[in-house]
């Protein structure tokens, strides 16, 4: 520790000695920097491997599914699935073959012929042996089919019995209390309910017919009045008028005359689906009803047999298809799940119960296709509800597995007040996790993943004097916190702003560029450790570059930007080391070709290479696609994604290129690289879809995965935004005026989390960390468990400069090292080749 005592006793002398050593040491060991400073890259996925993001697994079916029922049909302790298929006249059984597995959950469907147009299926043990049997309602033949279980998940048709005209729903229960299950069917055209009493051997006899005033859309069976006898509740419609009919149970399987409750709170409301549950925790079952007029209602039974009706919410639906009750978030209260279909999208909205009969919208989860029916059940045995949907297009069963605390691994969408145009990730509250700043025309929204699915809008600030087109985040003023740079397209200027830890945006300066600025890219072009700015233009034929030192000095005396002629019609930009000389370059897409501006490390770009065969890409990234340590380009050409390999290595010659047709115009490109893989994958945004494209052995690009998001995604971010240690994908959707989150299924390596400056991994940043760095660099000392913790200036290299930066921070009042900083564990916001963090960060 004598070295530590000497450094502490005379910091000035020791600091001077370090500077001398830095000048003298020309051959000291360093970790080489990387041109990946401004680019994210994404690792490939082997064919058949787990996808990058979660979406619905689809079990294909030959015809359209209309109704689902979950039960343990083969009695192996795992829930299976029965599906009614209207157009084929069949019911299919899918046996559960996987528990907590990333593989398929269900075996191939086993199909059985029933009657015409089977619309509904339910199940229960109607013969007293061999497990649950199937009851299938056949609308076209006005029958109910009884299929008896053989004990192993195979079924035999036992009998068909007649119902009223056009049956559509049914319920199983022991209404006459003889120990055998009975069936009540609801018949649309005869506008009645028919009770069929079971004999315990799989046969049924008619036990009573009840007129209910209209077409019974949905049936519930509960003891609503607490007398120990099952009652029947049906929601019905008779033209534009509808209501609820309650039939009180009587001994021997009989029922009192129905008591009707009209639903006319806001005009005539026609109920379509009901769900039962004790929503207000008073010990008695209640009703939730979804109407054709987009209303979600809560109903409590009165002593006179009618219901109190309260409107819970207005639900954005085009057609009501289902309503499901379940404890979605594991809080002991029964929640509601209803379909939503804003625009051409489709998903579910979860309404969290407050326990008093009121509900609050919890989140929206969007699916890849329209669901005819939906149920929630723990089908993979992990104790968490999963979602099963009868999907129409493409036809099949959609399976989205739950992830705990009511979180489904689908996609979640957060609506914004205006159409978003720019997106940046930044750690506002310095907790090691990124928030999102979304720029729209005249506003900035700060969003945070709420841990509950989707995002919470933390703040929405009005900047109506600006017309924001693009946004980037970096520490512009050297205070150790993120700032913003924004393109104001209408004002022809760049606006800089600081962001405090509460997310408040405070404009700092406005710098004039040229009319109609478009894109913005940040990078340290002069190697002074501070981010510089480059701005592209739609009309003006130059790229404007401003060094950070000029930004600090310019104030109000004029523009700090220097123009570099590249041609008009600039459409995209990126910053990276294209030619491998260690200096940041610029790649600019223009209508006259892609221009590579090669930097000299002093803020100038004396050499320009033109790739004239490629015109006007909307999105462009520099990335080492084939893992040969040279920079490649990936960009769009109309509906095609194109890769050009090593364009700067042979400036005047031909370049190898490959392409893949995405069948829609590319809107945005990002990439990410997982430590264990070499070849990158490109993530692209097209019309309403995220496409993951991979490089197959450097011989060509191919589409690996597709995920539905919102309409016209303008930008995307790849980051662990939910704190689950997995790579999530966030898009801003211009047409949908929303932010969409795709939950990640691949882990972001946890060992990449570190504390900058904590070289010895003892959770504090002190002088011993500088000594540890010196010993490793010059005396053969032990390599740090996380080399990235020693990259104090975050330039992708660990050398003596980092020791100087650390000592200056500790003893001379210099700025705090960049994110994640010395006070929090987090990920490196700058992608580089230092990816070997193995020490635990606490």
């Amino acid at each position: 520790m004598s070295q530590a005592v000497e450094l502490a006793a005379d910091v000035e002398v020791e600091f001077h000695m370090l500077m001398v050593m830095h000048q003298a040491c020309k051959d000291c060991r360093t970790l080489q920097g990387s041109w990946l400073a401004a680019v994210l890259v994404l690792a490939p996925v082997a064919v058949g491997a787990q996808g990058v993001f979660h979406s619905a697994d689809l079990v294909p079916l030959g015809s359209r599914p209309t109704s689902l029922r979950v039960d343990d049909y083969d009695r192996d302790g795992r829930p299976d699935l029965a599906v009614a298929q209207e157009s084929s006249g069949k019911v299919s059984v899918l046996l559960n073959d996987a528990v907590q597995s990333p593989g398929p959950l269900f075996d191939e469907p086993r199909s059985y012929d029933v009657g015409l147009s089977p619309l509904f299926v339910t199940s229960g043990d109607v013969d007293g042996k061999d497990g649950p049997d199937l009851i299938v309602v056949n609308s076209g033949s006005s029958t109910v089919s009884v299929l008896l279980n053989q004990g192993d998940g195979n079924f035999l048709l036992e009998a068909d019995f007649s119902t009223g005209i056009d049956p559509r729903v049914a319920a199983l229960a022991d209404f006459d209390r003889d120990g055998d299950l009975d069936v009540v069917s609801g018949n649309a055209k005869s506008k009645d309910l028919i009770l069929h009493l079971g004999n315990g051997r799989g046969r049924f006899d008619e036990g009573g017919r009840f007129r209910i005033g209209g077409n019974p859309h949905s049936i519930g069976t509960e003891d609503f009045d607490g007398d120990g006898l099952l009652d029947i509740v049906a929601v019905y419609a008779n033209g534009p008028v509808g209501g609820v009919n309650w039939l009180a149970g009587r001994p021997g399987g009989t029922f009192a005359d129905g008591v009707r409750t009209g639903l006319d709170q806001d005009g005539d409301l026609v109920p379509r689906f009901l769900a039962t549950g004790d929503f207000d925790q008073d010990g008695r079952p209640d009703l939730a009803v979804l109407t054709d007029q987009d209303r979600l209602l809560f109903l409590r039974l009165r002593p006179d047999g009618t219901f109190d009706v309260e409107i819970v919410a207005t639900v954005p639906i085009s057609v009501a298809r289902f309503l499901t009750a379940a404890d979605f978030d594991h809080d002991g209260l029964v929640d509601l799940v209803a379909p939503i279909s804003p625009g051409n999208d489709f998903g579910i909205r979860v309404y969290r119960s407050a326990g008093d009969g009121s509900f609050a919208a919890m989140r929206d989860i969007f699916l890849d296709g329209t669901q005819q029916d939906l149920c929630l059940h723990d089908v993979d045995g992990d104790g968490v509800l999963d979602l099963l949907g009868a999907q129409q297009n493409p036809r099949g069963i959609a399976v989205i597995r739950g992830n705990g605390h009511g979180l489904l691994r689908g996609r979640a969408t957060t609506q914004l007040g205006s159409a978003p145009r720019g997106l940046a990730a930044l750690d506002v509250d310095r907790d090691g996790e990124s928030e999102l700043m979304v720029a729209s025309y005249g506003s900035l929204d700060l969003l945070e993943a709420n841990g509950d699915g989707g995002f919470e809008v933390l703040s929405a600030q009005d900047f109506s004097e600006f017309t924001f087109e693009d946004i980037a985040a970096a520490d512009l003023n050297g205070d150790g916190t993120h700032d913003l740079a924004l393109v104001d397209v209408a004002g022809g200027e760049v606006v800089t702003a600081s962001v405090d830890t509460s997310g408040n945006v405070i404009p700092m300066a406005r710098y004039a560029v040229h009319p109609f600025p478009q894109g913005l890219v940040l990078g340290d072009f002069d190697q002074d450790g501070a981010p510089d700015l480059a701005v592209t233009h739609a009309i003006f034929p130059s790229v404007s570059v401003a060094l950070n030192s000029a930004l600090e000095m310019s104030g109000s005396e004029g523009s700090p930007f220097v123009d570099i002629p590249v041609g008009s019609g600039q459409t995209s930009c990126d910053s990276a080391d294209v030619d491998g000389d260690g200096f940041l370059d610029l790649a600019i897409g223009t209508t006259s070709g892609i221009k590579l501006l090669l930097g000299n490390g002093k803020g100038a770009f004396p050499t320009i290479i033109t790739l004239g065969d490629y015109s006007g890409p909307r999105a462009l990234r520099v990335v080492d696609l084939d893992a040969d340590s040279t920079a490649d380009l990936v960009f769009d050409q109309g509906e095609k994604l194109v890769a050009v390999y090593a364009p700067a290595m042979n400036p005047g010659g031909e370049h190898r290129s490959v392409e893949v047709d995405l069948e829609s115009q590319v809107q945005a490109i990002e990439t990410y690289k997982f430590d264990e893989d070499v070849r990158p994958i490109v993530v692209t945004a097209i019309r309403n879809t995220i496409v993951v494209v991979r490089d197959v052995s450097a011989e060509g690009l191919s589409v690996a995965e597709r995920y539905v998001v919102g309409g016209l995604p303008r930008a995307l971010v790849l980051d662990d935004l939910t704190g689950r240690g997995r790579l999530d994908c966030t898009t801003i959707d211009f047409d949908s005026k929303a932010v969409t989150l795709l939950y990640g299924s691949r882990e972001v390596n946890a060992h990449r989390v570190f504390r900058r400056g904590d070289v010895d991994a003892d959770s504090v940043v002190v002088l011993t960390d500088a000594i540890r760095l010196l010993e490793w660099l010059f005396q053969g000392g032990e390599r740090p468990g996380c080399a990235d913790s020693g990259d104090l200036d975050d330039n992708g290299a660990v050398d003596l400069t980092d020791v100087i930066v650390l000592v200056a921070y500790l003893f001379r009042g210099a700025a705090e090292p960049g994110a994640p900083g010395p006070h929090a564990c987090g990920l490196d916001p700058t992608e580089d080749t230092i990816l070997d963090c193995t020490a635990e960060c606490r």
Side-chain angles (χ1 to χ4, degrees), residues 525-838:
F525 304 129
D526 57 0
Q527 294 196 306
D528 66 350
D532 309 308
L533 282 71
V535 181
T536 61
H537 300 87
I539 298 176
F540 193 77
S542 293
V543 171
S544 298
V545 176
L547 301 182
N548 192 279
S549 56
L551 292 178
E552 295 172 351
M553 294 164 50
S554 64
S556 60
E557 297 181 358
S559 174
F561 286 92
V562 175
D563 294 328
I564 303 173
V566 296
S568 60
Q570 299 154 34
T571 55
S572 55
C573 56
D574 195 14
S575 173
D577 182 5
V578 177
D579 56 1
D581 64 355
F583 305 137
L584 279 182
D585 309 309
L586 287 170
I588 309 294
T590 75
T591 53
S592 59
I594 296 175
K595 306 299 178 77
L596 305 179
L597 285 62
L598 305 184
N600 62 5
K602 300 177 182 180
F605 301 86
T607 303
I608 298 179
I609 299 174
T610 299
L611 304 179
D613 295 335
Y614 306 105
S615 175
R618 292 191 180 189
L620 177 152
R621 284 291 178 262
V622 184
V623 59
D624 183 8
L625 281 172
D626 51 2
D628 65 352
S629 299
T630 59
D632 310 311
L633 293 179
V634 59
F635 52 91
D636 68 281
Q637 289 291 277
E639 297 183 350
K640 294 181 179 180
L641 191 70
V642 179
V644 174
Y645 295 88
M649 297 298 104
N650 186 19
E654 293 187 1
H655 304 95
R656 183 169 63 90
S657 65
V658 294
E659 62 184 38
V660 60
D661 190 355
L662 299 181
E663 301 175 349
S664 184
Q665 173 66 57
V666 174
Q667 304 294 330
I669 297 174
E670 281 297 351
T671 53
Y672 193 92
K673 184 177 183 179
F674 293 101
D675 297 354
E676 70 273 15
D677 291 315
V678 177
R679 297 188 183 279
I681 282 182
V682 182
V683 181
T684 63
I686 57 176
R687 181 180 55 249
N688 66 340
T689 305
I690 291 298
V691 182
V692 178
V693 177
R694 61 188 176 90
D695 181 10
V696 183
S697 302
E699 304 218 346
L701 300 174
S702 69
V703 174
E705 303 158 34
R706 290 179 182 265
Y707 307 90
V708 174
V709 290
L712 196 60
R714 283 285 301 264
L716 61 98
V717 164
L718 303 174
D719 201 345
D720 177 17
L721 294 169
T722 58
R724 298 164 50 245
R726 298 174 184 269
L727 186 70
D728 306 310
C729 176
T730 303
T731 65
I732 52 170
D733 308 322
F734 183 80
D735 279 357
S736 304
K737 296 182 180 180
V739 174
T740 296
L741 172 66
L742 282 172
Y743 300 105
S745 62
R746 296 200 66 191
E747 290 186 1
V748 176
N749 290 307
H751 64 263
R752 292 187 60 184
V753 177
F754 68 101
R755 188 188 305 271
R756 198 177 297 281
D758 185 17
V759 182
D760 56 7
D762 64 353
S763 300
V764 292
V765 178
V766 293
L767 183 59
T768 53
D769 296 295
I771 296 172
R772 175 73 180 275
L773 265 184
L774 286 169
E775 291 175 344
W776 172 48
L777 289 171
F778 305 111
Q779 297 181 3
E782 182 182 357
R783 180 186 181 91
C786 177
D788 223 345
S789 65
D791 185 13
L792 273 296
D793 57 4
D794 196 20
N795 70 345
V798 179
D799 53 27
L800 187 57
T801 303
D802 299 298
V803 182
I804 296 170
V805 171
L806 179 53
V807 173
Y809 161 68
L810 290 172
F811 302 108
R812 295 178 64 85
E816 180 178 297
H823 302 296
C825 296
L827 294 171
D828 189 352
T830 305
E831 189 71 18
D832 52 41
T833 56
I834 308 177
L835 301 176
D836 56 349
C837 295
T838 56

Side-chain angles (χ1 to χ4, degrees), residues 276-357:
T276 61
D278 185 6
F279 301 118
D280 56 4
Q281 293 191 299
D282 65 353
R284 293 188 177 185
D286 310 303
L287 284 182
V289 173
L290 184 63
T291 77
D292 276 349
Q293 287 75 26
D294 307 347
R295 298 292 192 273
L296 181 61
L297 309 176
F298 169 67
L299 286 75
R300 261 190 209 93
L301 186 66
R302 295 184 182 129
D304 65 357
T306 61
F307 287 88
D308 280 319
V309 182
E310 302 172 18
I311 297 178
V312 172
T314 299
V315 182
I317 55 174
S318 55
V319 178
R321 300 177 186 275
F322 54 81
L323 181 65
T324 301
D327 183 5
F328 189 79
D329 53 358
H330 303 283
D331 64 352
L333 302 175
V334 183
D335 310 306
L336 293 171
V337 180
I340 56 173
S341 51
N344 295 321
D345 217 337
F346 187 88
I348 62 172
R349 177 166 293 175
V350 180
Y351 294 88
R352 173 181 283 162
S353 173
D356 59 359

Side-chain angles (χ1 to χ4, degrees), residues 188-262:
K189 291 186 178 179
S190 55
K191 300 180 181 180
D192 58 13
L193 302 177
I194 297 182
L195 179 64
H196 311 269
L197 299 176
N199 64 4
R201 297 183 297 277
R203 297 278 179 164
F204 295 85
D205 298 315
E206 185 172 322
R209 185 180 295 252
F210 312 96
R211 303 284 296 179
I212 63 167
N215 171 10
H217 289 314
S218 189
I219 300 173
T221 60
E222 298 281 356
D223 180 11
F224 286 95
D225 54 4
D227 64 355
L229 299 172
L230 282 178
D231 311 317
I232 297 175
V233 169
V235 294
Y236 66 90
N238 189 9
V241 179
V244 178
N245 202 322
W246 174 58
L247 286 74
R250 295 290 182 261
T254 60
F255 294 87
D257 292 337
V259 180
R260 299 179 186 178
T261 301

Side-chain angles (χ1 to χ4, degrees), residues 487-531:
V487 171
D488 176 16
V489 63
E493 60 186 357
V494 171
V495 180
T496 61
S498 62
V499 185
D500 65 21
T501 55
S502 298
N504 297 311
V505 179
I506 304 99
M508 295 190 297
R510 299 165 70 164
Y511 303 105
V513 282
H514 297 286
F516 302 106
Q518 293 294 298
L520 175 70
V521 64
L522 302 181
D524 186 6
F525 304 129
D526 57 0
Q527 294 196 306
D528 66 350

